Amino acid sequence: MTVKLDDMIVELKAKTGSNPIIHEEVTREGMTTLWIERKDLKAVMSYLKREMERPFVMLFDLTCIDERVRKHKDDQPSSDFTVVYTLTSFDRNEDIRIKVPLKDNDLKIPSITSVWEAANWYEREVYDMFGVHFDGHPNLTRILMPRSWEGYPLRKEHYARATEKEPFVLTEQIRRMEEDDLKFKPEEYGFSRKSGDSEFMFLNLGPQHPGTHGLLRLIVQLHGEDVVDIVPDIGFHHRGAEKMGERQTWHTYIPYTDRIDYLGGVMNNLAYLLSLEQIAGIKVPERAQVIRIMMSELFRIASHLVWLGTFAQDLGQLSPVFYTFNDRERIFDIVSAITGARMHPAWFRMGGVAHDLPKGWNQMVQDFVNYFPKRLREFEKMILKNSIIKARTLGIGAFTTKEAIEWGVTGAGLRATGYNWDYRKKRPYSGIDQFEFDIPLGKNGDAYDRSLIRLEEMRQSLRIIQQCIDNMPAGSYKSEHPLAIPPRKEQTMQDIETLITHFVGVTWGPVIPAGEAMIPIEATKGSNAYYLISDGSTASYRTRIRTPSFPHMQMLPLISKGYTIPDLLAILGAMDFVLADIDR
Amino acid sequence: MHTAIVIVVVLLVVISIAAGLIWVERRLLALWQDRLGPNRVGPLGLMQVLADMIKIFFKEDWIPPFADKAVFIIAPAITMVTTLLSFAFIPWAPNFVVFDSNFGILFFLGFSSLGVYSVVLAGWSSNNKYSLLGGMRASAQMLTYEVFMGISLMGVVMMADSFSFSAIVKAQQHMWFFIPQFAGFVVFFIAGIAETHRLPFDIPEAEGELVAGYHTEYSGMKFGMFFVGEYMGITLISAIIATLFFGGWLGPSFLPPFVWFFLKTFFFIGVFILLRAGLPRPRYDQLMEFGWKILFPLSLVNLLVTAAVLLFIK
């Protein structure tokens, strides 16, 4: 199911005068991957989004690859830095990847912010991390790193550890400069300081603020209590997770993924491993697939419970957070019985999971499945049916399906607008198409609908978990693929080759064949995907993490303008984001 | 001599209750929120109050360099003083009152209006945007609710034919006023919550939005005064509800009048805490709308109906 290239080329030729496609690459997940020259970029993007039949309407991801030290370039066009655009077509139910080669001495590319507004932050990130200049970008400044940062972190020559450079000393001068950098100057964002005879107030909300759920800084332009405009300032939680992917082995990177969406636990492992297994060609046995689904859905409930409690707290209701955290603890009891850890089990492995399920797991899970629906009814009555909560969220922060797609919104946010899109249904992974469950949809796309959907999603997750208990297949919990497990112990004692393979596999980690893949999953907050590139080594060449919270946060100014501060907090509460997921 | 004793007793009891409420609130909230609450310090965690007091007394009492110093210091004192003064008019038992004024209710309303200054000045003098927003919200909210807080009590005044708290209690010998004055009671109760800016009307200090609103910059004992002042406010409103609508010290004689008065007061304190455990916070404009469009007309209708009925009877 790939794009019909012939028709596309004919149409594009008519538009650009020549065939803009310079190369067609074959990737492991089979996504259509086309290389084009940067001079054709805008025309191609505009064609793909607006003119073609069943167009690619959503900018799913935009990133860059430093190709300078890559060994396996096959026959791809020569490039030092490749800018990668991933687009999604909902009508076709497929993605397309556009790659644009750039030379080291000429790192310039036209900005596509005029085609997709959502490209704004993504282009800033690429500029921040790789130093690629986007011509025509409205505000090309660093986004994740501090403004004073020297160098471009995701370039290969940039160090990955503080120990690789001189010790850092915070002098008074540096401190002053850093503080000065953080001062908000309205003119930089084209904000006026006053309108008529009244002055605007610029409120610095965060990075330490009880309502932002983490290190998020919002600079709010206020007229009285009315929000005129907002500038989200992110990056305070940036930990270089993508850079880490390039120095950790394929296996030892799994625990890092847990901490991207830190409420999603093993759900992150799943997104990472699906792409990785695709590159390595590992088939996961059925039992492992069902275990993975069950654990992921348990974590979906756990994540939604945190969201529900904090959402209520953002609206001033103090108690639900304790009830939901108590119930989340029950899930963690199950998780720790099965995996040995609570929030970040890092329990999935290439080709399966770390252990088989323990004895009595089904009773534990069944007890929870029996217990939880009653609690959900209570939560619904206590929180979502509460008239004050309704008054605070109905019609607040609403956006349409079109806006959602324009800004790259996935997950409950997209479904709240009434658009039926769930990666579990549309692009089933890990055998989830074998399960019966419904996709709750909203109507108005407001904060209230987003909340209702998450509550209903918990019910649907319970249904999936019940089916896991009833139909857990027998068999192995991990694949026999040589990249997934070390050679059998009995054989290593007989055969020097297997001994060497065992030794190398255990000490260095498996060598994954060269290739690249990205498989999006329906994570707790929207679509999460790992774009992995292997250069035939024990570590990834490039790990790109596409997280749902990043585009959601980018959309915040659009959906909160014209409301008041309490509404802004309600919108943030209903958005369901974690800063680790935004900043990585 | 009698008055002097009463003054000392009232002062000590009120301040101890207010401080003790810190523990009561935390334990009650914990009970309703499936937690334990402070239970380590002393029996049942009761010494927690002492520990909290020691802590708050010894905390650095920091005045931000950008604040308006004099006003910043006076603001928390205002809330303590006005609330404490209101207690002077509330009888705890027959003849146990500091000043049995004929204008007790008017004094109470006057002092609670003055209390607004505390919040407004604190918000303004802190020179902090969150504090300023909190102070502005507080002034709007409290001025609004002040209006019908007064009106809602007029029904009681008319029925008892007096502004004196003692006279009103005595007038309830046959029937507690919450029955004929139910609308007045409801309006006063809601206005009372707004007056003490407790959840769901804690809009001036809305934690998730304004960090701590008007007292964001306060620390040490000055914060402590706002903190204890809030509990004194709760105690005051509860005591007034008990006095004006639930017969004050009146009750079956197997318990002394003191006990009846405190039982009723503590019941309403409990309701205050339960509300905090249960309700979310409406938006600022919704609160004002609720006040002006529902509570204000309701209190006026209550006043008119009471007057008409009284005229008819007499």
Side-chain angles (χ1 to χ4, degrees), chain B residues 64-68 72 121-132 214 217:
Chain B
F66 43 81
D68 187 324
F72 189 82
L121 291 179
W124 175 76
S125 68
S126 297
N127 204 0
N128 169 314
K129 288 170 185 169
Y130 290 111
S131 304
L132 181 65
Y214 62 88
E217 293 290 347

Side-chain angles (χ1 to χ4, degrees), chain A residues 352-489:
Chain A
V353 294
H355 326 100
D356 205 350
L357 292 169
K359 266 185 198 158
W361 68 273
N362 40 0
Q363 195 50 48
M364 275 192 99
V365 183
Q366 187 64 56
D367 286 347
F368 178 76
V369 173
N370 294 343
Y371 155 87
F372 196 53
K374 184 166 158 276
R375 294 288 283 183
L376 273 178
R377 280 196 295 279
E378 279 175 33
F379 292 149
E380 186 170 10
K381 214 170 144 194
M382 182 184 351
I383 304 168
L384 290 170
K385 295 234 162 109
N386 183 306
S387 57
I388 298 180
I389 298 260
K390 275 189 175 172
R392 288 286 309 272
T393 52
L394 272 172
I396 300 294
F399 49 81
T400 63
T401 309
K402 197 163 175 283
E403 284 170 324
I405 290 172
E406 172 72 29
W407 286 88
V409 174
T410 48
L414 181 58
R415 290 190 287 274
T417 66
Y419 198 74
N420 189 350
W421 186 267
D422 187 311
Y423 282 91
R424 288 175 295 177
K425 284 280 187 201
K426 301 287 178 183
R427 310 218 186 134
Y429 49 83
S430 202
I432 191 129
D433 47 337
Q434 305 294 316
F435 293 86
E436 270 178 21
F437 62 101
D438 298 322
I439 304 299
L441 294 179
K443 262 194 262 163
N444 310 317
D446 57 7
Y448 187 70
D449 274 10
R450 293 199 272 283
S451 317
L452 272 186
I453 284 179
R454 290 205 187 91
L455 194 86
E456 186 56 33
E457 272 184 6
M458 287 196 253
R459 293 211 175 94
Q460 299 302 329
S461 291
L462 277 184
R463 271 177 77 187
I464 298 176
I465 294 167
Q466 181 66 60
Q467 292 167 55
C468 290
I469 302 173
D470 296 342
N471 306 300
M472 182 61 72
S476 174
Y477 62 93
K478 62 181 179 183
S479 162
E480 296 289 314
H481 194 284
L483 286 171
I485 51 160
R488 294 247 169 265
K489 195 78 183 165

Side-chain angles (χ1 to χ4, degrees), chain A residues 506-533:
Chain A
V506 169
T507 51
W508 294 352
V511 174
I512 301 296
E516 56 184 78
M518 173 166 86
I519 296 177
I521 67 159
E522 189 68 36
T524 58
K525 290 159 181 64
S527 172
N528 184 10
Y530 283 71
Y531 176 35
L532 298 176
I533 299 176

Side-chain angles (χ1 to χ4, degrees), chain B residues 64-230:
Chain B
F66 43 81
D68 187 324
K69 205 173 166 190
V71 183
F72 189 82
I73 294 171
I74 292 170
I78 296 177
T79 185
M80 287 285 278
V81 171
T82 55
T83 317
L84 272 178
L85 279 175
S86 293
F87 275 102
F89 308 99
I90 298 173
W92 291 9
N95 294 324
F96 193 91
V97 57
V98 178
F99 177 36
D100 190 9
S101 164
N102 281 339
F103 298 103
I105 288 185
L106 291 183
F107 271 115
F108 155 68
L109 291 172
F111 283 135
S112 77
S113 302
L114 283 175
V116 182
Y117 279 106
S118 165
V119 177
V120 175
L121 291 179
W124 175 76
S125 68
S126 297
N127 204 0
N128 169 314
K129 288 170 185 169
Y130 290 111
S131 304
L132 181 65
L133 286 174
M136 286 191 320
R137 286 178 176 194
S139 52
Q141 171 182 328
M142 289 166 87
L143 287 177
T144 304
Y145 278 72
E146 201 87 329
V147 174
F148 42 85
M149 186 180 204
I151 297 175
S152 67
L153 291 184
M154 290 310 120
V156 172
V157 171
M158 277 192 282
M159 290 185 73
D161 229 357
S162 170
F163 276 110
S164 152
F165 282 100
S166 305
I168 291 173
V169 173
K170 282 174 197 144
Q172 298 181 64
Q173 294 283 8
H174 304 295
M175 192 192 345
W176 291 355
F177 280 162
F178 85 96
I179 298 167
Q181 282 297 315
F182 190 72
F185 159 65
V186 170
V187 174
F188 180 79
F189 184 63
I190 295 173
I193 305 170
E195 196 64 24
T196 48
H197 32 87
R198 294 269 305 175
L199 246 169
F201 296 155
D202 67 336
I203 285 170
E205 46 186 307
E207 191 215 350
E209 301 158 17
L210 299 185
V211 188
Y214 62 88
H215 60 64
T216 304
E217 293 290 347
Y218 280 88
S219 58
M221 198 48 216
K222 289 200 200 65
F223 165 74
M225 275 155 96
F226 277 124
F227 196 47
V228 173
E230 181 180 313

